[in-house]
């Protein structure tokens, strides 16, 4: 894993450049716009610091540049040097629609609970416990996939690696933002 | 318990080795898991703690960006604080 203080420097540098670009774009922002700018520039600075080497960073940039409301702002933040990266992530798969997710979750829940009911009558407790444990793992893996950007399209192994990297970068983001806010 | 799970690993989606590796790395990163021994932490617990940790980090980022944007709104005119920010940028 990379040295965290190097990551911090990289993130801070990119974030400040991004903030300057945004403020030069529009001088007088209201509080909501400013909030959006701060958050988006921090997220994109974090993702671009990874330079497209990880799936989550590419997914984060892809989602930001595809969102119609924020696309121009996102591209402004990323700047001309990231043009190649933006083109590269434009080929990534789309985030799945929420309605589809909820419906398939309900179907999965219904089929699993009926399977458990059937199993409970004929199978010993230990096997049942394993089955429940497996279900828990599946459910929580699914939640983790929704938390990590681009997670829905990853297999299990990649998801684990990406999660570790994502957490490391999130911590850096939080540390830097905290020290900026409370300096 | 882990040996029993591995005999059924044909159907289980995450292998034991991945869990062990994930736990050892997460121990350094996630505070909750640090105090438990790795062979006693079940996979579902690890995943749950990871998800909770990521969610709390997200919340903190949102909260910090809100505070920071409020701060920035107030310092625009004030030159003393602007020079602090400028020196931060110059690092």
């Amino acid at each position: 894993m990379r040295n965290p203080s190097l990551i911090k420097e990289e993130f801070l540098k990119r974030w400040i450049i991004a903030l300057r670009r945004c403020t030069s774009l529009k001088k007088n922002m209201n509080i909501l716009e400013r909030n959006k700018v701060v958050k988006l520039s921090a997220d994109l600075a974090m993702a671009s610091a990874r330079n497209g080497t990880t799936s989550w960073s590419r997914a984060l940039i892809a989602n930001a540049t595809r969102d119609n409301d924020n696309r121009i702002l996102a591209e402004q933040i990323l700047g001309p040097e990231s043009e190649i990266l933006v083109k590269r992530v434009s080929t990534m798969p789309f985030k799945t629609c929420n309605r589809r997710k909820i419906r398939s979750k309900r179907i999965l829940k219904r089929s699993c609970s009926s399977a458990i009911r059937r199993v409970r009558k004929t199978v010993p407790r230990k096997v049942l416990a394993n089955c429940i444990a497996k279900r828990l793992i599946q459910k929580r893996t699914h939640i983790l996939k929704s938390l990590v950007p681009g997670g829905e399209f990853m297999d299990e192994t990649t998801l684990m690696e990406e999660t570790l990297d994502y957490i490391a970068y999130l911590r850096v983001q939080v540390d830097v933002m905290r020290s900026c806010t409370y300096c | 318990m882990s040996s029993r799970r591995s005999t059924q690993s044909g159907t289980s989606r995450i292998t034991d080795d991945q869990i062990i590796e994930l736990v050892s790395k997460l121990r350094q990163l996630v505070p909750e898991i640090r105090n438990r021994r790795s062979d006693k932490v079940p996979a579902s617990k690890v995943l749950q703690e990871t998800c909770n940790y990521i969610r709390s980090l997200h919340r903190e980022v949102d909260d910090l960006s809100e505070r920071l944007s409020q701060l920035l709104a107030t310092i625009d005119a004030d030159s003393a604080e602007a020079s602090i920010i400028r020196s931060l940028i110059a690092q």
Side-chain angles (χ1 to χ4, degrees), chain A residues 125-160:
Chain A
R125 207 180 289 170
K126 285 178 190 169
V127 180
L128 184 64
N130 273 344
C131 184
I132 293 177
K134 239 181 270 175
R135 247 192 80 200
L136 266 181
I137 292 179
Q138 277 176 14
K139 186 171 119 179
R140 286 169 185 171
T141 311
H142 191 72
I143 296 176
L144 185 60
K145 281 186 175 178
S146 70
L147 284 172
V148 174
E152 305 140 342
F153 310 108
M154 296 178 199
D155 62 278
E156 311 289 320
T157 325
T158 323
L159 180 67
M160 292 303 146

Side-chain angles (χ1 to χ4, degrees), chain A residues 15-16 34-35 38-39 134 137 140-141 143 147 156-157 160 163-164 166-167 171 178 181-182, chain B residues 8 11 13-14 18 22 25 29 44 47 51 53 55 58 60 62 65 67-69 71 76 89:
Chain A
W15 188 33
I16 295 214
R34 203 178 286 270
N35 189 10
V38 168
K39 179 151 197 309
K134 239 181 270 175
I137 292 179
R140 286 169 185 171
T141 311
I143 296 176
L147 284 172
E156 311 289 320
T157 325
M160 292 303 146
T163 308
L164 290 170
Y166 185 53
I167 290 182
R171 279 161 58 107
R178 199 184 290 151
T181 316
Y182 296 117
Chain B
Q8 300 178 3
T11 49
R13 295 166 62 165
I14 303 180
Q18 285 176 322
L22 179 65
K25 287 189 185 156
L29 293 176
S44 55
L47 285 170
C51 291
Y53 191 50
R55 261 186 233 135
H58 281 168
E60 205 167 341
D62 288 339
S65 64
R67 265 187 229 212
L68 200 52
S69 61
L71 265 178
D76 263 341
I89 293 172

